[in-house]
Amino acid sequence: MQPGLYHILFISTALFFIGVFGFFTRKNLINMLMSIELILNSVNLNFIAFNKYVWPGKLDGLFFTIFIIAIAAAETAVAIAIIINLYRNTQSIDVESAEDLKY
Amino acid sequence: MPNATIIALIPLLPFAGFVLLGLFGRKYLKNYSGLIGTALLLTSAALAFYTAYDYFFVAGKVNGVYQQLNPMKITWLAFSQNLSIDLGLTIDPISVMMLVVVTLVSLMVHIYSLGYMKGEERFPTYYAYLGLFTFSMLGLVLSSNIFQIYIFWELVGVSSFLLIGFYYNKPSAVAASKKAFIVTRFADLGFLIGILILSNQAGTLDFHQMIATLTSPESNAVKNAAASSFLGASALTWGAALVFMGGAGKSAMFPLHIWLPDAMEGPTPVSALIHAATMVVAGVYLVARMFPVFSITVPAVLEIIAWVGAISAIFAAIIAITQTDIKRVLAYSTMSQIGYMMFALGVSGYGGEAGLGYTASMFHLFTHAMFKALLFLGAGAVIHYVHSNDMQDMGGLRKKMPITHITFLFACLAIAGVPPFAGFFSKEEILLAAYHGNTAIYWIALITSGLTAFYMFRLYFSIFWSRPYGSNSHDHSADHHHGEGGFAMMLPLVILAAGAVFSGLIPFGEFVSSDGKPLESHFHLAFSVAPVALGIAGIVLAWVLYKKQNTIPDKLAASFGSLYKSAYNKFYIDEIYLFVTKKVLFNLIGRPAAWFDKNIVDGMVNLTGNTTVFISEKIKKFQSGKVQLYAIAFLAGVIVLAVLFIYVL
Amino acid sequence: MNLLFLIGAPLLTALAVLLARSKQQVRLISLGGAIVQLALSFALLYFFRQEKAAGNASQILFEQNHTLFQALNINFHFGVDGISVAMILLTSFVLIAGVLVSWNVEKMTKEFYFLLILLALGAYGFFISLDLFILFFFLEISVIPKYLLIGIWGSGKKEYAANKLALMLMGGSALILVGILGLYFLGGNSFDMLKLAKTQIPADLQQVLFPLLFVGFGVFTALFPLHTWVPDGHSSAPTAGSMFLAGISMKLGGYGALRVATYLLPEGAKQYADIIIILSAIAILYGAFATMMQKDLKYINAYSSVSHVGFSLLGIGMLTQTAFTGALMQMVSHGVMTALFFAVIGMIYDRTHTRMVADMGGLMKVMPFITTVFFIVGLCSLGLPGLSGFVAEMTVFVGSWENADAFHRIATIAAAMSIVVTAVYILRAIGRTAMGPVTNESHLQLGDANWNEKLAAIILVAGILAIGIAPGWLNDLLQPAAAEIMNRIAGK
Amino acid sequence: MNGSTIIFYLLAAFTLAFGMLAVTARQIFRSAIYLLFTLVGIAGIYFWIDYEFIAAVQIVVYVGGIVVLIIFSVFLTHQAGEKLPKQLLSRKIFGALAAFCGFALVLLQVFQHEFAVVGKDVPSPTVKDIGSKMLGTDHGGYALPFEVISMLLLAAMVGCIVIAMRSRPEEKEPANSK
Amino acid sequence: MNEFLTLMKTELALTAIIFFMLIVKISGGMANRKLLPVIHILLLLNFALGFFFNKEGNLFGDMFYTTPLIALQKNILNFGVYLISLLFCDWMKRTPHLPEFVTLMLAALLGMDLMISSANMLIFYLSLELATIPVAAMASFDLDKKRSSEGAMKMILSSAFSSGVLLFGISLLYGTTGTVNLPELSQALNGSALQIMAFVFFFAAFAFKLSVVPFHLWTADVYEGSPFAVTAFLSVISKGAVAFIFITMLYYVFQPMLNIWYMMLVILAIITMVTGNLFALRQQNIKRFLAFSSIAQVGFILVGISSYGTMGVVSTTFFIIVYIFSNLAAFGVASVISEKTGKEKIDDYKGLYQTNPYLTWVMALALFSLAGIPPTAGFFGKLFLLTAGASQADYWFILVAALNMIVSLYYYLKVVRAMFMDKNENPIERLHTSNSVRLGLIICSAGIVLAGLMSWIFDYIKSLS
């Protein structure tokens, strides 16, 4: 069978939940950021696949992807800045080192 | 038509006294308060006498029948078109008679108290209360509306409460006043419900119309009277019985009598006024006021009235024999005498000869007021002298207090039914009525009359004879600087003694009868033999036993054993009441109610609060501070919502 | 008469109090304001009667309508009928007495008077509102002042009591709110009571809304078993606070239960009348018995309030015109009476520093004026003729008796039994405190009432007597309004 | 099964496998490298469906930018070579469970849905198309998003500068450096 | 006047201020003390500008859409930011990066303005991120406080996760409808199962931003960790903006799914109110307390939104105004105290009335308003929300909401009690407040007292929608 939309959707969904799983289980903040990247990439894949296979006439999906990539960069940058600052304060980038605020 | 203003002034003058003395007495009128009160009452009494004269001899009789007149009526509170509480004045034979009795006795007490209560710190207050009581009693007597009578009924109750508790720093007086109020209040509850039933049946609260409706065979209420509505009795029967319950409470009928002996804690003149002559006969008056209804529509209730009266009469007489507190003896005797009046009404029929009991009852009410007030005032003089209520502390006082002695003797003779004193005539009529009405009651009455003579003379001998005064260590000879009492105290004794002696000669049936038509009283000589003989026998027995100090009474008492003991303890009725109030009301209802409120109702509210806090504490773990768990919750929320809305809803 | 004066006067007084410099100024301004309000309410009575005498037959007088939220159809719609006039009179009486009684409050005087006057403001507004939203607004306005009054100036378990009171009242208003919103949508997007009174709301919806409204207002007026804020709240509050709580706040509930719930939802009222009767009969007896066991004077009066206010609810549940009148009379009567009761208790407490019955005795010797007033109010409470309580209770009884079936009769008799129990606890309380020998020697040193206390007591006693001796004027005020409500229930 | 299909499956397996490794590797540096591979794999898929422009952006921005950023930060936080501490087993199980439930649900829904697949013969957008659309202000133009993202990047930059370039904390707060 | 200039006036003005700030920074900076008044004036001007040239129109080929109502909503946010700049100027004076802070704050505001005006999923998404990422940076502005960094970290990670979910939802929507243009999207929705799921994903992101339970968990931690100004900004401005666009999305875009989102709102509103209240009950830290209370408030907003119709829009908008006044007043007072004494616990507030009566009254007013007690505006706000909600005739739902007001009253009263009634040996000393803070508090108090009674505000909103 010729791989098509559903195959790609499978990949993207799987990637999405791999990212989610990573986000849930990694202890390292930077690792969690990576998981976020996976999630965003899966979304990108979705958009591109839909654009390609279902709505090829317009470029909406494509542009969405481009902008998501840009935002991912900005988000990651800020997140890393915050994490580094946190690291300066706690000397750790373990997510469990930042659990003072609770209940 | 008698002048409404004059009649209205009769109760209003004492009321003015109450307001005046109540507001300003303590500060400004301290020394004059007695005189002011007395003067007002004197005016009031004069007006009452004038009214009586006017009614009986000038204006009251139309075509040989005494009319019921309503010279004034003010709508006080209108519930609906027909149903309203009106304040009105009713003038008919019994109300006029009562006017005279009340103002007369009250006047006597006012005068007497000038001496008796002299030096009392709360002298103005005392007179204010007297004024309030007199006002209420007169208002009660004049009522034209059943709710009006209830209003004054309650006012009488409260003034009685105030006067019994006049010596408020004596715990026993406080307790007695509370008891009097609460017991009569309980009876009034019945009265109130009775009023509601009757007014509902009659569609009016006005006595005149109510009686007219409830006695007219056409009215629905009467037609339904045969049909039972509740516990086998008709609504009307229940209503009438409950109204009587109110009367029984005020008139200290068995078993609602328990407050009366205790009420003797009040100043003695008060006892004379309220607990002998006026207030306690309110129940009798109430029954008499509604007599047509009882007699024509609900004879079953009348039967109850007769039996309650008879039982009270003999019951009280038996207890009276054993009491040593002179005021208590008098109290029980009052109860016994009111029992007489009550059963006289109970055995009476309506109209004509059959209405003899009615007339007799009113007659006895009249004469009894005289001699019983006299007895109390006399007793008051004695107490004033010896500073004690107990017979043990008295004896041999005839020399020290001659006027008191003589008047007291007259009164005793009158109550014992010795001719030609007042009591003889009225009692004779009652016995005659009972004889015709109900034989069993007649025999009870006869025995009671013997007992009455016995205990009254036991009292008399114990106080005035028995032993020379001063032979007992209890006597306080040193205190007797004030002698027998001043003119103020002696004058009423004399006046009342005159009443006790002569009032029996009034042809009462001429004026007061069940249907307004004059009733001729027949004197049956043969018939009076038995009661008079029994009376004499009682006196002689008392003479034997108590003239001289001896041990026979104690021995007798011992031989009667438990009977004596239970009579001495008033047949433990008080204890039963105590049990009901303390154990049942307080412990079985009040305490659980308070507990329930504190623990269950309040508890529910607190539980709600505590549960909220508890849950809040339990779920705090969700806010774990772990950002990954937050994300899991997030995803779980998404999944649950998605599943919910795709598959479930 | 312009009804806005009734809101304006307390508002201005409250603001003036805030601006006052010294405690004495605060007191004088408050007193002045209270006098003005009293005068206004008398003027209202006068004009109302005159208008009625002139033959103005409309149900609501002095109506005025100012748009507030046009979008939601919310208006400052004011107007009074006899009930409102009576309640306004009551409020002004209690206010002036409250101001006088609190003369010696030293702690945060300004705030105290401010809150007190705010309470009155809420009450006035509530009683003249014809718009349910505004009515609710004024009802709610008084919750927080009550909370603060109890919490700051109270005694005993004040924080617990204040919380309980605020939360339970809030719960009540939550129910009311839902009911009002229901009415709003069913009545064609209108909060206007007059308009709603002309709308036919389907019976099944009335059945849903009525309990919400009635129970909601019932919380305010101590409907069994939602009365539990009453004892704690009343007994912890400062004197004037208790006076207001029992004297006016509870009346807000009664007024609402009748004027809003019953009047606007007659079918619902019929549906639930039996339950109301049962609950109120329980409240009457149960309150009375619970009172019997209390040892603290304030608790005694608080529980007895539960019992007395039960008569109001009973009257409402009986659904007859006379019973309605009686219920309303009971509200007015109880308002004056209980305010006086609390005032007296406050006076005693100020002197003896105890409210425990057992710690007192023979006070009559020490403070004759106060105990005399205590007597009067006690007698009023147990329904002595000539005092207001009697008139109200009797009217309720007579009205109740118009229902001819056994259920109503038994309920009435059960309620009537409370008059005996009332006598028991009132006489016990009076007997123990005022009568008997002086048990505590130090009490002999105490003085009688001050001028302000005397004045307060006299004003309230005058109120009691005015109703008790000549109830006709009150009856004339209330009866036509009750008739109007009855007409709607009867479907005329 | 033709070549393109095989390539696709290879790409898919490559991407998913490295994705899995990226989120499970015990060493953070390796993890970053695996992420890199995954991203490259995705770029490959873009190539495979003829979206070269996106593929290029993917490589440039992700591989060249973000992953480098991440690796920098790994070095900055001195964690490169160390093994990461183990996560709690329960967390792993729950995380896996939640993720799997979500995965199953989404997959089920996606596969149940009939997308109106048009086919592959539509020409892929050219860079010229993209460029002209990107700055177009009329209907279908993306000028505004372009402005917005520039603003966003500016803000992010300012934020990063402030946060990351703060003055030495050591002399101020020795308490926190435990 | 050029349409571009008038329709986007707020956005342009904000951009101008942002650039002005950057220029100030780059050119060597100004002392905070001097800069702050300038900022105040600029923001006030911006606010004033919001009143003019309001009309309906599209820009950028349907990507940007505005109406007078939207302009008003933007201006409400402008006003809120102005108030924040007043109320928290003590902290701002202290911060070493004032121009940057203002830049970030205004960038976020710009994002919100664009978000409200967006007519396209892409622009919506971008502006949402623009409204979020700078705030995360701002949350970390207490640079050497660990809590601040921790909060910022939680915020950025959570929001990244949530935008991942959001994007996944959007991608599916795009896949099923082929468009990201909102009006077209609305036309193309057909309610298939996949669309419902996509909608849930999409909805979750909103719920996250609005702190709807169970998507709220980040809220309290971030609020507690962040500087007061940021907490206030998050809790008031961002929430308001999201609520506005949320309404637009639900009412106009997802209108075909009315039944679904109505039920969803009902369920979530109840859970949110209950949970928010239960958590707020036991909080000691004032910020955290206000965080949970604001979660409960969101529950009420959802009640209002659940009524599909004008009432929903109007009452929510009105409530946001009231909420800005009330919540900012509360945060303002708390911040004054925290700034001067470092105390943030409710227990520390005991006896506050003895020393600081005015602050106490402002705080009490704010809390009463939040609790919905008359005569404060909160009463009206809340009541209108419930009125709106009741229009669907689900009375039990309204009843649950109304009963929740009791619980919330309980904990608001807890603070009131601490301030007014509890005794304290050493209460917070008498505090001096600067003029700007005072002005801010006065504006807030006046707003709290008057906003409800000035009915024209409400009628005006109604006339716009």
Side-chain angles (χ1 to χ4, degrees), chain A residues 23-24 26 99 101-103, chain B residues 620 623-626 628 631:
Chain A
F23 191 80
F24 288 170
R26 301 319 301 260
E99 288 174 359
L101 303 165
K102 60 184 170 189
Y103 301 140
Chain B
K620 74 173 186 185
Q623 194 75 36
S624 55
K626 300 183 197 306
Q628 289 166 320

Side-chain angles (χ1 to χ4, degrees), chain A residues 1-11 13-15 17-22 24-28 30-31 33-35 37-38 40-42 44-45 48-57 59-60 62-63 65-74 76-78 80-85 87-94 96, chain D residues 2 4-5 8-9 12 16 19-20 22-25 28 31-32 35 38-39 42 46 48-49 51 53-54 57-58 61-62 66 69-70 73 76-79 84-87 91-92 95-96 98-99 102-103 106-107 110-111 113-119 122 124-125 130 133-134 142 145-146 149 152-153 156 160 163-164 166 176:
Chain A
M1 194 179 99
Q2 181 69 17
L5 176 65
Y6 288 93
H7 296 76
I8 298 179
L9 285 183
F10 176 83
I11 298 173
T13 310
L15 213 51
F17 285 99
I18 287 170
V20 167
F21 171 72
F24 288 170
T25 53
R26 301 319 301 260
K27 290 193 101 165
N28 188 299
I30 295 175
N31 264 334
L33 267 185
M34 296 179 194
S35 308
E37 299 306 334
L38 284 180
L40 293 177
N41 266 287
S42 102
N44 286 347
L45 206 49
I48 293 297
F50 284 131
N51 201 349
K52 168 82 185 172
Y53 288 102
V54 191
W55 313 101
L59 297 178
D60 292 334
L62 184 116
F63 273 106
T65 308
I66 294 171
F67 284 110
I68 289 172
I69 292 172
I71 293 224
T76 311
V78 173
I80 283 175
I82 290 172
I83 288 169
I84 287 175
N85 193 43
Y87 173 74
R88 283 197 202 132
N89 283 333
T90 63
Q91 302 304 318
S92 160
I93 53 166
D94 199 343
E96 280 164 12
Chain D
N2 56 21
S4 134
T5 312
F8 176 80
Y9 282 119
L16 292 179
M20 274 314 282
V23 298
T24 49
I28 189 163
S31 191
L35 174 68
T38 315
L39 299 178
I42 290 169
Y46 293 154
W48 188 79
I49 55 173
Y51 272 50
F53 180 74
I54 290 295
V57 172
Q58 169 89 355
V61 179
Y62 264 114
I66 296 175
L69 200 60
I70 286 174
S73 65
L76 266 176
T77 52
H78 317 285
Q79 294 253 341
L84 294 172
K86 264 194 177 166
Q87 180 56 270
R91 172 75 60 76
K92 273 187 179 165
F103 178 59
V106 174
L107 215 56
V110 166
F111 279 71
H113 194 271
E114 300 256 331
F115 288 102
V117 179
V118 179
V122 179
S124 296
I130 296 170
K133 282 267 180 185
M134 177 86 90
Y142 284 82
F146 197 75
I149 199 130
L152 174 58
L153 290 172
C160 289
I163 296 167
R166 74 171 195 200
N176 267 345

Side-chain angles (χ1 to χ4, degrees), chain C residues 228-246:
Chain C
T228 138
W229 62 273
V230 175
D232 290 323
H234 286 20
S235 51
S236 304
T239 303
S242 310
M243 289 166 70
F244 253 86
L245 270 181

Side-chain angles (χ1 to χ4, degrees), chain B residues 44 91 96 102 113 127 141-142 278 284 316 355 458 496 549 602 616-617 631 643:
Chain B
S44 182
I91 294 298
V96 173
V102 173
S113 301
Y127 271 95
V141 166
L142 287 168
T278 57
V284 180
R458 167 176 174 257
L496 286 173
Q549 204 170 12
D602 243 16
S616 145
E617 182 67 23
V643 170

Side-chain angles (χ1 to χ4, degrees), chain B residues 89-168:
Chain B
L89 300 173
T90 299
I91 294 298
D92 68 353
I94 51 171
S95 71
V96 173
M97 182 269 290
M98 285 298 285
L99 278 186
V100 170
V101 171
V102 173
T103 50
L104 178 65
V105 177
S106 179
L107 178 63
M108 291 306 118
V109 167
H110 270 77
I111 296 171
Y112 182 86
S113 301
L114 288 175
Y116 188 85
M117 299 298 282
K118 201 174 191 171
E120 174 66 36
E121 190 192 355
R122 293 165 72 233
F123 195 58
T125 315
Y126 175 78
Y127 271 95
Y129 288 170
L130 278 187
L132 175 65
F133 171 77
T134 314
F135 158 70
S136 322
M137 193 65 209
L138 291 168
L140 189 155
V141 166
L142 287 168
S143 295
S144 67
N145 183 297
I146 193 166
F147 236 117
Q148 185 187 357
I149 217 172
Y150 181 77
I151 290 174
F152 286 106
W153 195 265
E154 291 291 311
L155 283 175
V156 164
V158 82
S159 30
S160 159
F161 163 80
L162 291 171
L163 284 165
I164 296 171
F166 183 74
Y167 298 121
Y168 64 86

